[in-house]
Amino acid sequence: MNLRWGALMALAAVVLSPAAAAAQQANAPAHIAAVHRFLLAWGHERWEELQAAAADTVTVRLGDKVLTLEPAARKADVRVVLPFRGLSTVRAGAEIKGVTVDELALRMGEQETRGPATVTLQQHEGGYRVTAVSLGAP
């Protein structure tokens, strides 16, 4: 009987996880939700969603390299590797400047770099758009 109950609980966790994640994102502040949406769209190469969440050109700093992401042109010099974790607000006084990501992985060719990152935001028509991503210090 305990084995069946355990299997049922495991199945419920798998089925409810996307719903729980969606509910958590719905309760998240707008800037956190914007970065979450941006990273997921970039990771899954959903260009239309990415266009809505990003500036026309996003500067991506990967260590000492400066690369670009152009959602409208469907061009990415670097790709995000999912999953990522730990989104936190970056403020300058009361103004929201961006979001830190505790762990993010970016891939350029065969090289993958993983670590803490910063996503820079700009207010746009009552929401937020990503303008830059920085991973690793030069």
Side-chain angles (χ1 to χ4, degrees), residues 31-111:
H31 60 285
I32 297 287
V35 170
H36 187 262
R37 192 170 43 254
F38 167 81
L39 291 172
L40 286 178
W42 187 14
H44 291 292
E45 294 184 359
R46 293 187 210 133
W47 296 103
E48 290 79 20
E49 289 178 41
L50 191 57
Q51 238 177 317
D56 293 337
T57 301
V58 177
T59 302
V60 181
R61 296 184 194 289
L62 183 57
D64 59 351
K65 296 176 181 82
V66 178
L67 309 158
T68 58
L69 172 64
E70 298 175 47
R74 296 179 180 232
K75 178 183 176 263
D77 294 336
V78 62
R79 304 216 183 277
V80 70
V81 178
L82 299 175
F84 56 88
R85 80 178 166 79
L87 302 179
S88 303
T89 305
V90 175
R91 296 181 189 271
E95 187 178 352
I96 295 170
K97 292 293 188 179
V99 172
T100 59
V101 184
D102 289 345
E103 186 176 346
L104 182 70
L106 297 178
R107 181 177 298 227
M108 187 176 75
E110 295 298 316
Q111 181 184 0

